Amino acid sequence: MITSQRMEDAALALMHKAAIDIPEDYLDALRAMTEAEAAKDEAGLSAFVLEAMLENYQAAEQDRRPMCADTGVPRYFVKAGNEARLQGGFVELERCLRAATARATQEIPLRPNRVHPLSRHDNGDNVGINAPEIDYSFEPDADWLEITTVHKGGLFGSDYRMLFPGDGIDGIKRFLLDVLIAFGKRGLACQPAIVGIGLGGSKDTCMVLGKQAACLRVVGERNPDPEIAALELELKDLGNSIGMGAMGFVGSSMVVDCQIEVGYCHTGGMPMSVHCFCLSSRRATARIQADGQIDYRHDPRWFTPYMRRDTVTWPGTTAASRRTG
Amino acid sequence: MAGHDGGIKTYRLTAPVQPDDLAGLELGGVVYLDGLIYTGREGVYRRLLDQGETPPVDLAGISNVNFHCSPAAAIDDDGTFRVGAVTATASFRFAKWLPQWFRQTGCRVIIGKGGMSERDYREIFVPAGAVYLTTVGYGTGALLGRGIQAVEGVHWLDELGIAQAIWVLRVKEFGPLLVESDLAGNSLFERHNRRIDSHIESLYDGLKPPALRRFGETDDKTDELI
């Protein structure tokens, strides 16, 4: 049984880690990108900006202060082992996540960013109606609980479009260029970004897949489908060929990595979403074991083989739940 | 005061700034600030300019540097303020308030994210003798947070909340900031846009147009969203 206390402890620690410590995978990639920009004569300003960001991550870590004052919209992704047992159940887990959000806002401190869309009322603790969002997924043959928090800005750098099968790869490239050019100017997207692309699904699923691809995979990780993996690399290069760097200055540092996730969609359509996870790509994950031990890491490991399954059954599912094809 | 750092000019300015300080600023130069600055964004502009409320404090008497920012800050039980990080918010949304704002407050420097259009600089900033400094990144929240020595006051906190209130900040070596507009109304961002735009069309060579178009869509990639 995973206790309520452990769930709240983990969530609170995650809020601190995400806000303050840049994930290693993003940091390593950004260091390489900074060196590449610095080696080019025309990308001096872009290189200057990236060097300042590297200094900023260090300052955040040394001072234990947030790397960015824009808290974004802090949220959680929960992966529950199929055998996990939670004290107080999922209702208690949700209370823990809301409590950790409010406590972290005061402790760290984070900017109270969440307001009512019409009255603009601010509770002052990043908690409100449908805030923080909590997304769920499940894992067979496991009794642990995994919590990931993501702090991502929300105003610029994302878009959705219904493409059609006839648009093909051309349509995907064109829409990606449109989004990166539109939001890359003046650095509105806070690039270089981890660009997440959702392909397929229903409209809302398409947005969710793209967001999760940007936020819940690590830099350098490829989609297991070789065709999609190749497209990821091709689109990354395309984004970096625009000629734009950090803050929209001349350079070639737009895309740190491109991550694509797919879902089966309507036979007549090919919906696509694009999301930019920014220079403050804030995410942190904890696994709480059944005995209460907590392990922290930067890699959410959200897209498991089980998540990406395309079969009716899954090996190990019980006879009672198995359907015949 | 100007220096050089790896080919990029560096300036150290004291706020409130003197008009002479601004005359020497070149686009793309790096600025660090000492002195007093205040935050103010749409919440403040709406109350002060649209609703004609009396300002809670004499802003012109404090500084002439307006930071488009909401701090990551908390108020402790004993009433003291803790500011962890500060980063700017995108400024283009506030252009419509600035002519009156400059007249009413004597503001000469806007610090923010993303700048404004060259047209806004020429029509609004140049007549007011004002320039725009952009934060870097974005955003260097921790570095800018280090540059804050003290919170000298917070105004309209109850009315507007932490994010939108007026924060008066005493700063030291606050930066880095980049000179985005000069007193002639030139824009660093637009200068770079023009270089990038010159070959952007070629990226689309050979890509067929989408089957279904959208209202308001433009194929002119030199357009901006702001």
Side-chain angles (χ1 to χ4, degrees):
Chain A
M1 175 80 76
I2 295 168
T3 65
S4 162
Q5 185 65 48
R6 295 310 274 161
M7 294 191 288
E8 191 169 333
D9 287 349
L12 184 63
L14 285 175
M15 292 295 285
H16 282 257
K17 286 174 190 293
I20 295 167
D21 299 312
I22 191 78
E24 285 294 330
D25 56 288
Y26 183 86
L27 179 61
D28 290 345
L30 198 73
R31 281 201 185 112
M33 213 164 215
T34 307
E35 278 173 32
E37 289 289 63
K40 292 181 217 118
D41 285 344
E42 73 279 7
L45 271 177
S46 177
F48 171 82
V49 173
L50 297 183
E51 279 157 12
M53 288 308 299
L54 292 174
E55 235 182 282
N56 185 65
Y57 303 139
Q58 219 173 16
E61 207 184 310
Q62 284 167 358
D63 299 0
R64 303 309 296 164
R65 63 170 89 224
M67 65 182 89
C68 182
D70 186 346
T71 305
V73 282
R75 57 186 301 172
Y76 297 95
F77 298 86
V78 170
K79 193 183 283 295
N82 197 38
E83 321 302 330
R85 295 290 171 268
L86 316 184
Q87 183 189 19
F90 283 90
V91 168
E92 176 60 12
L93 169 65
E94 294 199 333
R95 187 204 62 76
C96 289
L97 298 181
R98 290 168 84 86
T101 305
R103 283 176 61 190
T105 300
Q106 178 71 22
E107 271 181 28
I108 297 176
L110 299 174
R111 189 166 98 195
N113 237 14
R114 291 276 199 171
V115 301
H116 188 284
L118 292 173
S119 71
R120 313 308 291 180
H121 173 74
D122 187 341
N123 283 332
D125 56 8
N126 283 309
V127 174
I129 300 172
N130 281 308
E133 293 87 349
I134 305 171
D135 288 17
Y136 292 94
S137 68
F138 306 96
E139 190 64 13
D141 305 318
D143 59 0
W144 41 251
L145 178 77
E146 287 189 346
I147 304 170
T148 296
T149 188
V150 168
H151 302 180
K152 180 185 179 302
L155 302 186
F156 311 109
S158 305
D159 206 354
Y160 163 84
R161 183 158 190 161
M162 179 57 84
L163 298 172
F164 298 91
D167 288 326
I169 300 293
D170 269 12
I172 291 170
K173 288 182 178 172
R174 180 175 275 277
F175 183 50
L176 177 64
L177 283 171
D178 285 352
V179 174
L180 294 182
I181 291 168
F183 292 109
K185 289 187 178 185
R186 296 170 188 264
L188 291 182
C190 297
Q191 72 265 17
I194 303 174
V195 174
I197 293 179
L199 281 178
S202 55
K203 284 190 181 73
D204 53 339
T205 306
C206 180
M207 284 301 276
V208 169
L209 285 171
K211 169 68 76 72
Q212 294 184 349
C215 301
L216 301 178
R217 283 173 51 184
V218 294
V219 175
E221 181 189 345
R222 295 275 67 85
N223 189 292
D225 179 328
E227 218 173 303
I228 297 172
L231 185 60
E232 289 176 340
L233 292 174
E234 192 180 351
L235 295 182
K236 176 188 168 186
D237 289 344
L238 180 68
N240 287 330
S241 73
I242 293 171
M244 220 184 259
M247 288 179 76
F249 295 137
V250 171
S252 47
S253 50
M254 193 69 213
V255 184
V256 168
D257 204 354
C258 176
Q259 315 277 20
I260 301 175
E261 288 299 326
V262 300
Y264 275 33
C265 59
H266 189 291
T267 183
M270 188 177 64
M272 170 168 170
S273 73
V274 179
H275 300 258
C276 292
F277 202 18
C278 62
L279 272 165
S280 298
S281 282
R282 290 157 290 177
R283 61 168 136 76
T285 299
R287 175 181 288 188
I288 313 175
Q289 306 287 359
D291 65 5
Q293 186 190 320
I294 305 175
D295 299 308
Y296 296 96
R297 58 179 203 252
H298 286 304
D299 181 357
R301 291 179 218 152
W302 179 254
F303 289 101
T304 59
Y306 177 74
M307 283 277 284
R308 291 186 178 122
R309 72 197 182 280
D310 70 349
T311 55
V312 172
T313 57
W314 182 255
T317 44
T318 63
S321 65
R322 196 171 293 150
R323 280 168 44 199
T324 50
Chain B
M1 190 168 64
H4 282 83
D5 177 18
I8 296 176
K9 263 194 182 167
T10 306
Y11 306 91
R12 189 91 181 243
L13 300 185
T14 301
V17 297
Q18 303 301 317
D20 284 353
D21 296 338
L22 304 183
L25 297 180
E26 286 178 23
L27 293 193
V30 179
V31 175
Y32 290 89
L33 277 176
D34 304 301
L36 281 175
I37 66 175
Y38 59 81
T39 70
R41 49 183 296 179
E42 67 266 53
V44 173
Y45 295 150
R46 284 166 73 176
R47 277 183 84 87
L48 213 69
L49 305 178
D50 295 349
Q51 295 156 21
E53 299 243 1
T54 310
V57 61
D58 173 26
L59 285 175
I62 294 174
S63 183
N64 53 11
V65 179
N66 175 192
F67 186 16
H68 287 159
C69 155
S70 305
I75 300 152
D76 288 329
D77 292 340
D78 62 2
T80 55
F81 305 104
R82 269 184 301 132
V83 179
V86 286
T87 36
T89 193
S91 299
F92 68 88
R93 300 167 286 166
F94 312 142
K96 64 171 182 172
W97 285 295
L98 287 188
Q100 199 186 340
W101 180 254
F102 285 151
R103 277 197 302 277
Q104 218 158 302
T105 64
C107 173
R108 302 296 285 265
V109 174
I110 297 283
I111 303 173
K113 171 184 175 183
M116 302 193 178
S117 71
E118 218 156 54
R119 193 173 150 186
D120 285 337
Y121 293 139
R122 295 200 167 140
E123 290 177 359
I124 304 170
F125 280 64
V126 171
V131 302
Y132 187 102
L133 305 178
T134 178
T135 53
V136 168
Y138 313 88
T140 52
L143 288 179
L144 293 175
R146 273 185 176 177
I148 296 175
Q149 284 188 300
V151 176
E152 299 266 324
V154 186
H155 307 279
W156 277 345
L157 185 61
D158 292 341
E159 293 85 346
L160 295 173
I162 283 177
Q164 295 275 346
I166 299 171
W167 292 73
V168 179
L169 307 171
R170 181 165 294 284
V171 297
K172 188 178 178 191
E173 215 176 337
F174 182 78
L177 309 168
L178 286 171
V179 181
E180 141 67 2
S181 85
D182 58 20
L183 283 179
N186 298 301
S187 158
L188 177 69
F189 285 125
E190 295 203 15
R191 183 182 281 181
H192 278 253
N193 281 348
R194 283 189 285 271
R195 285 170 61 190
I196 293 163
D197 288 345
S198 63
H199 57 262
I200 237 165
E201 268 310 315
S202 66
L203 295 167
Y204 290 84
D205 283 350
L207 300 180
K208 59 180 178 288
L212 182 70
R213 291 181 297 130
R214 298 199 286 197
F215 280 126
E217 188 161 78
T218 170
D219 281 328
D220 180 0
K221 307 303 175 195
T222 64
D223 271 2
E224 283 203 77
L225 297 185
I226 70 164

